Amino acid sequence: MNDEIALFVFLPFCKIKCTYCDFNVYAHLARWMEPYAGAVAREIQNSKFENRNSYRVRSIYLGGGTPSLMPVAAIEKILHACSEFPISNLQSPILRFCSGQVSNLEITLEANPGNADEDELRALRSLGVNRLSIGVQSFDDATLRRLNRGHTVADALTTYERARRVGFDNINFDFIYGLPLQTLADWRATLDRAIALAPEHLSLYALKVEKGTGLAHQIARGKSPMPDDDLAAEMYELAEEVLDAAGYAQYEISNWARRIRNSKFEIQNSNLQSPISNLESPVSRHNLTYWRNEPYLGFGAGAHSCFGGQRFWNVLSPVEYIQRIARGESVIAGHEPISRELEMAETMILGLRLNEGIAFAKLAERYGEDARAKYARQLREARELGLLELSEQGARLTPRGRLLSNQVFWRLLPDE
């Protein structure tokens, strides 16, 4: 039984909503930020689950929304509540966490360019936030305007420079590719500019047009072209080539970390091992929890958790969330049990997202079953399609398989 968990805190506030976004986020609700932070702190403090004190926190992720819009005092209140959990003893540089507690865990905060000045970033760093994820999305101003991002390339550069000045040495850039009107040359220019800045980590996501978004309406009215899937695939392959040459190791379908000199970056052990052996490399420890299908707890409006054989999630409305907390009521909106069959399939699927793939011995240790025998037909089909590399020890996606991963994943899901 893994005795480590990750904590996710959802902060749903934005200045404006991007055209492609279908997240549970809200603009023009700044007046609710302070009471929301208090409600989240109370949810964290009141969270009860079996053997709480035997679980040690390996990471905290403040996501959204735009967490960098929140007052620093609100972030401090939330982190102080998190500090009541026992902290993992992972080996890493010692950091100060929540005004005095010594900690070494990864604490990530998502930021949009232009939303935090230097003093605010310095204050966040002093609280123990040691990883910044900046939603750049593109280094092209025309693209940013089409996405309704509310920031410019200059804003992104300024935020990055500020973060470096105040001591952030683990920075991620988020980018989107496969956008309407985006050319391969545009994408190459964004990659080149990112590489020149040398962030420790890059997350690259293919655009998905979600129903009900502004972008979906634009496409339906003929105001924007549909994204070109073939061009998006070319962009992905270009990113693999360019980032590898620039010293970034791909460790998950959408994620790259800068190689550390004199350190063998590639993860050689099973995705079922925790922690990975190379934590000096700037991989996202928090996201590794998801990809290894390990337990995590989510707090805030609409946050999801996976713990103790259950998935459960909170009410979506931040105002309703605050009101329920104030009344001492549960904020859980729903839950579902996770059968052993489904958990094993999901562990296979999530593990295959990692470039290291899955190790059959570790799966057998965790589930008491031979995955190669259990999924023999599915694995054989994926291999014959050129999507999977298969050996006696394990399996991993091929480069073609990373492009067409869903063709592998749906085969592994149990029948209804």
Side-chain angles (χ1 to χ4, degrees):
M1 178 71 172
N2 191 343
D3 63 353
E4 293 184 336
I5 56 172
L7 304 184
F8 175 77
V9 180
F10 187 69
L11 305 173
F13 305 101
C14 286
K15 280 189 175 180
I16 54 178
K17 194 160 185 177
C18 304
T19 60
Y20 57 86
C21 179
D22 75 331
F23 290 172
N24 180 42
V25 300
Y26 304 85
H28 314 302
L29 288 183
R31 67 187 183 279
W32 291 101
M33 288 182 183
E34 291 283 2
Y36 183 85
V40 169
R42 285 183 62 183
E43 185 194 5
I44 294 168
Q45 290 163 340
N46 294 338
S47 63
K48 299 290 190 296
F49 56 91
E50 186 179 358
N51 299 324
R52 167 173 169 155
N53 288 334
S54 67
Y55 282 83
R56 305 183 72 81
V57 175
R58 76 149 59 95
S59 64
I60 301 170
Y61 195 103
L62 302 162
T66 310
S68 55
L69 283 177
M70 298 283 287
V72 172
I75 299 295
E76 181 173 16
K77 183 178 293 185
I78 291 168
L79 289 179
H80 182 75
C82 291
S83 71
E84 295 183 15
F85 282 83
I87 303 303
S88 171
N89 61 355
L90 296 177
Q91 296 302 308
S92 69
I94 297 299
L95 299 162
R96 290 287 166 183
F97 175 43
C98 271
S99 303
Q101 179 178 338
V102 175
S103 173
N104 59 3
L105 80 167
E106 175 191 88
I107 305 177
T108 302
L109 180 132
E110 290 183 346
N112 273 353
N115 287 148
D117 62 27
E118 195 161 322
D119 288 340
E120 289 168 326
L121 290 170
R122 184 177 292 106
L124 290 169
R125 190 76 181 87
S126 71
L127 290 178
V129 176
N130 58 326
R131 185 173 184 270
L132 202 65
S133 183
I134 305 175
V136 179
Q137 311 311 351
S138 174
F139 275 127
D140 177 73
D141 279 326
T143 299
L144 293 173
R145 286 192 295 272
R146 287 194 295 271
L147 297 176
N148 199 33
R149 283 294 296 164
H151 70 82
T152 65
V153 171
D155 292 331
L157 297 175
T158 298
T159 297
Y160 180 74
E161 290 165 0
R162 288 172 176 168
R164 289 302 197 200
R165 279 199 297 271
V166 304
F168 279 99
D169 56 6
N170 192 358
I171 296 177
N172 171 65
F173 285 164
D174 273 356
F175 291 107
I176 303 175
Y177 63 92
L179 296 162
L181 303 178
Q182 186 182 36
T183 68
L184 197 62
D186 293 336
W187 179 232
R188 176 63 190 256
T190 281
L191 291 173
D192 286 344
R193 197 153 194 182
I195 289 165
L197 292 170
E200 284 68 32
H201 194 279
L202 293 164
S203 296
L204 314 180
Y205 300 107
L207 175 70
K208 185 178 179 183
V209 180
E210 302 286 359
K211 291 181 181 179
T213 61
L215 179 58
H217 289 305
Q218 290 173 5
I219 292 171
R221 295 195 303 267
K223 295 184 179 294
S224 176
M226 273 293 292
D228 184 332
D229 290 341
D230 291 335
L231 179 57
E234 289 184 52
M235 291 178 176
Y236 184 77
E237 291 174 330
L238 176 66
E240 289 184 308
E241 175 187 339
V242 169
L243 293 179
D244 180 66
Y248 286 85
Q250 185 181 20
Y251 68 98
E252 192 270 345
I253 286 177
S254 300
N255 287 272
W256 283 257
R258 201 169 68 197
R259 292 187 181 92
I260 303 298
R261 187 177 180 183
N262 298 325
S263 171
K264 189 174 183 182
F265 175 82
E266 300 296 341
I267 304 169
Q268 296 298 321
N269 297 316
S270 163
N271 66 297
L272 299 175
Q273 285 194 336
S274 178
I276 62 172
S277 57
N278 298 333
L279 283 176
E280 70 273 16
S281 297
V283 299
S284 171
R285 294 186 197 171
H286 183 86
N287 287 336
L288 281 171
T289 296
Y290 302 145
W291 298 322
R292 291 173 169 171
N293 205 18
E294 294 170 345
Y296 59 90
L297 294 175
F299 303 100
H304 284 61
S305 300
C306 184
F307 185 85
Q310 297 276 328
R311 250 190 293 271
F312 46 99
W313 52 92
N314 289 348
V315 295
L316 293 174
S317 165
V319 176
E320 181 183 356
Y321 171 85
I322 293 167
Q323 292 171 342
R324 286 199 185 192
I325 291 287
R327 294 193 297 261
E329 298 173 0
S330 171
V331 293
I332 295 176
H335 64 91
E336 62 177 356
I338 306 170
S339 67
R340 193 78 167 166
E341 187 86 358
L342 179 58
E343 183 188 337
M344 185 173 180
E346 290 180 343
T347 300
M348 291 273 288
I349 290 167
L350 292 166
L352 284 171
R353 290 188 61 91
L354 291 164
N355 282 32
E356 66 175 356
I358 55 174
F360 295 134
K362 289 295 177 181
L363 283 163
E365 181 181 319
R366 180 167 173 176
Y367 294 105
E369 289 191 67
D370 183 347
R372 179 159 190 178
K374 181 179 180 67
Y375 300 103
R377 175 183 56 80
Q378 297 93 324
L379 295 172
R380 183 182 66 252
E381 288 177 0
R383 183 187 60 190
E384 289 172 353
L385 290 169
L387 306 177
L388 200 67
E389 295 177 9
L390 190 60
S391 71
E392 290 295 325
Q393 287 73 42
R396 64 180 182 178
L397 295 176
T398 63
R400 172 178 161 80
R402 288 196 290 273
L403 277 171
L404 301 171
S405 56
N406 285 340
Q407 293 298 313
V408 179
F409 297 162
W410 70 258
R411 287 177 161 82
L412 297 170
L413 288 171
D415 296 331
E416 294 292 339

